Amino acid sequence: CQSYPATICDKDYKQLNPCKDAADFLPDIVKTRYCEFGGNYPAKDTCEALGCSTWELEDGSGFGCSCDTEEKCNNADGTWIFKTCEEVIKEWGQEENQRVQEANETGTCAGQTTSWGEDLTEWINGQANTCCQSYPATICDKDYKQLNPCKDAADFLPDIVKTRYCEFGGNYPAKDTCEALGCSTWELEDGSGFGCSCDTEEKCNNADGTWIFKTCEEVIKEWGQEENQRVQEANETGTCAGQTTSWGEDLTEWINGQANTCCQSYPAT
């Protein structure tokens, strides 16, 4: 049916989206990418040798395999799947759509959960962060504004690269290999081996890692709503004194760590 999710059972049913305004929705953006094995995972050693990550299956029958790129997925005989924002929201159940409809009418998702018990605001944020032009404003909070760590909004440098790191997805090279490539190691907390950290793209590639970089814009979009709220309070009161992040870090120190690269006016924040 072209008109799905409206059906003969509910002809007026309308598919909502997570954005503050329907026009903000980006239907053709790819929202999810993953490697599908249909339960037929390669052997643990094979998976890890291809640069993919493994985990023990809940029933103890073996190990699952997760590949973060199409090339690795194909090499592991998986099927690379991607879904657009349009496809993802069409997978919403009617119960979720109904709760989003209620949030749209009341202007808030506060106190609401999904049918599986997840906080509705968090679930909507996870849908909206890629699919809505106006994010972090969403259907849950249409007036929500993303702040930045600078003294004035105009001082923000959105396109500056803020973070660079080498991602191994838990599949670190051997300690001797890592160190021979000029990377550093540390013992994992569970004592199962050693992690590896490479500080340049060349070293990372040589160690079969994936070099990741994020701009200031991308980094602040990862702020949780709780952090944004505390920054809003600091903006209104003119101080971060006595405030902490949701994980207990001093708010001033955290903001300085965000601002030192991303604000023209730093060290003012």
Side-chain angles (χ1 to χ4, degrees):
C1 300
Q2 293 185 61
S3 54
Y4 182 81
T7 66
I8 199 169
C9 294
D10 188 346
K11 297 182 178 182
D12 296 323
Y13 187 94
K14 289 182 172 56
Q15 178 67 64
L16 296 177
N17 66 56
C19 309
K20 61 174 285 192
D21 298 306
D24 289 333
F25 187 59
L26 303 168
D28 299 323
I29 295 293
V30 175
K31 173 60 179 169
T32 59
R33 300 173 178 85
Y34 60 94
C35 189
E36 179 59 58
F37 290 100
N40 298 314
Y41 299 110
K44 182 176 185 290
D45 290 346
T46 301
C47 176
E48 293 175 349
L50 292 168
C52 303
S53 57
T54 60
W55 71 94
E56 189 169 2
L57 300 176
E58 289 186 6
D59 62 5
S61 62
F63 290 85
C65 181
S66 176
C67 304
D68 59 2
T69 70
E70 185 172 6
E71 181 181 5
K72 293 176 184 178
C73 181
N74 291 338
N75 290 339
D77 293 327
T79 302
W80 187 249
I81 305 291
F82 64 87
K83 294 182 180 180
T84 64
C85 291
E86 181 76 22
E87 291 172 319
V88 168
I89 70 163
K90 281 196 171 181
E91 294 177 349
W92 290 7
Q94 286 203 333
E95 189 170 346
E96 274 57 60
N97 207 64
Q98 179 61 37
R99 295 183 189 193
V100 172
Q101 178 65 54
E102 293 170 2
N104 188 44
E105 293 170 356
T106 62
T108 180
C109 296
Q112 292 269 33
T113 61
T114 63
S115 58
W116 56 90
E118 184 178 356
D119 180 84
L120 189 63
T121 298
E122 292 183 5
W123 180 68
I124 285 292
N125 284 341
Q127 304 277 314
N129 60 2
T130 306
C131 299
C132 300
Q133 294 185 66
S134 52
Y135 182 80
T138 68
I139 201 166
C140 292
D141 188 347
K142 297 182 179 183
D143 297 323
Y144 187 95
K145 290 181 172 56
Q146 178 68 62
L147 298 177
N148 66 55
C150 309
K151 61 173 287 192
D152 298 307
D155 290 334
F156 187 58
L157 303 168
D159 299 323
I160 295 293
V161 175
K162 173 61 179 168
T163 60
R164 300 173 178 84
Y165 59 94
C166 189
E167 178 60 57
F168 290 100
N171 294 318
Y172 300 109
K175 182 175 185 290
D176 290 347
T177 302
C178 176
E179 293 175 349
L181 292 169
C183 303
S184 58
T185 60
W186 71 94
E187 188 170 4
L188 300 176
E189 289 185 6
D190 61 4
S192 62
F194 289 84
C196 181
S197 176
C198 303
D199 59 3
T200 70
E201 185 172 7
E202 181 181 6
K203 293 176 184 177
C204 182
N205 292 338
N206 289 338
D208 292 328
T210 301
W211 187 248
I212 305 291
F213 64 88
K214 294 182 179 180
T215 64
C216 291
E217 181 76 21
E218 291 171 320
V219 168
I220 70 163
K221 280 196 171 182
E222 294 177 349
W223 290 7
Q225 287 202 332
E226 189 169 346
E227 274 57 61
N228 206 65
Q229 179 61 38
R230 294 183 189 195
V231 173
Q232 177 67 54
E233 293 170 1
N235 187 46
E236 292 171 356
T237 62
T239 180
C240 297
Q243 292 268 34
T244 61
T245 63
S246 58
W247 57 90
E249 183 178 355
D250 180 82
L251 189 64
T252 299
E253 292 184 5
W254 180 69
I255 285 292
N256 284 339
Q258 305 276 315
N260 60 2
T261 306
C262 299
C263 300
Q264 294 185 66
S265 54
Y266 182 80
T269 64

